[in-house]
Amino acid sequence: MTSFRFLETGHGTAAFNMGLDLAIVEAVAAGAVPPTLRFYCWKPCAVSIGYFQGVRDEVDLDACAARGIAVVRRVTGGGAVFHDDELTYSIAFPESHPLAAGSILASYKAICAGIVAGLGRLGIPAEFAPLNDVVAAGRKLSGNAQTRKRGCVLQHGTILLGVDVDQMFAVLRVPAEKMRGKLIEDVKARVSSCSAMLGRTVGYPEAVTAFREGFSAGLGVILVDGAPTEAELAAGRREAAERFGDTAWTNRR
Amino acid sequence: MTGEFVGKGRGGKLLRLRLDWTGDQVDAVALRGDFFAHPEDGFEAAEAALAGIPVAALGATFGTELARHGVRVFGLEPGDLDDAAAAIMARAAGEGAP
């Protein structure tokens, strides 16, 4: 089994969270650190948008400002996400790793096996739903986004622990066309959370334990506890200041 | 003329395509949406290469340019651009009809 470094970095700002993910994949690409799985959460809560999305298409910026919700553009594609009560993961490893074998869809499925396994440990039967979601009973619990940089895969995704759909859809603009063809076309009904599924609160610490085990079993990797290097932290802060916290980056589409 | 399409194509992800055109020529195209592509700068180069081509050649040119820049796209297919442009132009023709 391959060993991956495991980081649990707690809460961070939107800009720093995205900056550290980028710093980690750059460090993995440079061979400075091993393949890495990171867990984290967001404070204050935030909206992230996909690399190719138009910020004004997807986000009610006035509603975000009024609620103190940050907005950040990711380096990965995909859709807009409201980050509040959740566990977020990122994983970075060379494209030569078996997890990246085959098509992009196959690599999403291979990585999302860790989420499915983690949900199973919580008692939630779930499955991968192409192209890039994990669902339970037809409801989305996890969205995932992947890119490749300098010969490495970077995938990050959200696992909803609790969800306030009214708050979520007060800040996100979801066109009717996006839901067309989904089993559940009502966008609010299509989203759920671990807590809602289980009828009890699933907190972040419990989720970290369940999904650490889930990723290890689902991906067939040994997770070795570690910490970000000083160089990664410095690069993450720099990316946060110069890229992810810059409105020119956020507003570029 | 200018038009915008919002919808899902064969690639499966939401596409927002803004098309500016004169006659049968593309003046500019802007692609936004939920799709994935890497390397991102190669995608943007392919997008920029669509200005000045015939509207009918959008998908084929985009596919060629993506390949030229070594871009892998997930959730969007080059033919989705043709479908979106056709929808925009059909709507424009309908709006212009008596």
Side-chain angles (χ1 to χ4, degrees), chain A residues 185-227:
Chain A
E185 291 203 351
D186 177 352
V187 65
K188 288 188 178 180
R190 190 173 173 262
V191 176
S192 190
S193 70
C194 295
S195 298
M197 285 279 171
L198 293 173
R200 66 175 181 82
T201 300
V202 177
Y204 181 78
E206 179 185 359
V208 168
T209 301
F211 287 99
R212 189 188 194 284
E213 293 173 3
F215 270 93
S216 178
L219 275 56
V221 300
I222 297 167
L223 295 174
V224 180
D225 288 329

Side-chain angles (χ1 to χ4, degrees), chain A residues 53 57 132 147 178 253, chain B residues 8 13 31-32 34 40:
Chain A
Q53 291 189 301
D57 295 332
N132 57 321
T147 190
K178 178 163 178 160
R253 275 181 190 260
Chain B
K8 286 187 177 179
K13 287 294 181 185
L31 304 173
R32 307 186 307 280
D34 296 0
E40 292 80 3

Side-chain angles (χ1 to χ4, degrees), chain A residues 24-85:
Chain A
I24 289 169
V25 72
E26 294 283 356
V28 173
V33 298
T36 298
L37 173 68
R38 173 191 174 211
F39 286 175
Y40 57 99
C41 51
W42 305 65
K43 192 173 182 178
C45 54
V47 171
S48 75
I49 59 170
Y51 182 91
F52 297 103
Q53 291 189 301
V55 65
R56 286 169 195 80
D57 295 332
E58 311 297 338
V59 186
D60 185 330
L61 294 173
D62 291 338
C64 287
R67 290 168 165 80
I69 294 170
V71 180
V72 67
R73 181 180 297 278
R74 303 189 303 268
V75 291
T76 51
V81 180
F82 176 57
H83 302 279
D84 187 7
D85 183 6

Side-chain angles (χ1 to χ4, degrees), chain B residues 13-15 21 24 30-32 38 40 51 67 79 83-84 91 93 97:
Chain B
K13 287 294 181 185
L14 190 80
L15 168 65
W21 78 98
D24 63 355
L31 304 173
R32 307 186 307 280
H38 65 267
E40 292 80 3
D83 296 341
R91 191 168 62 236

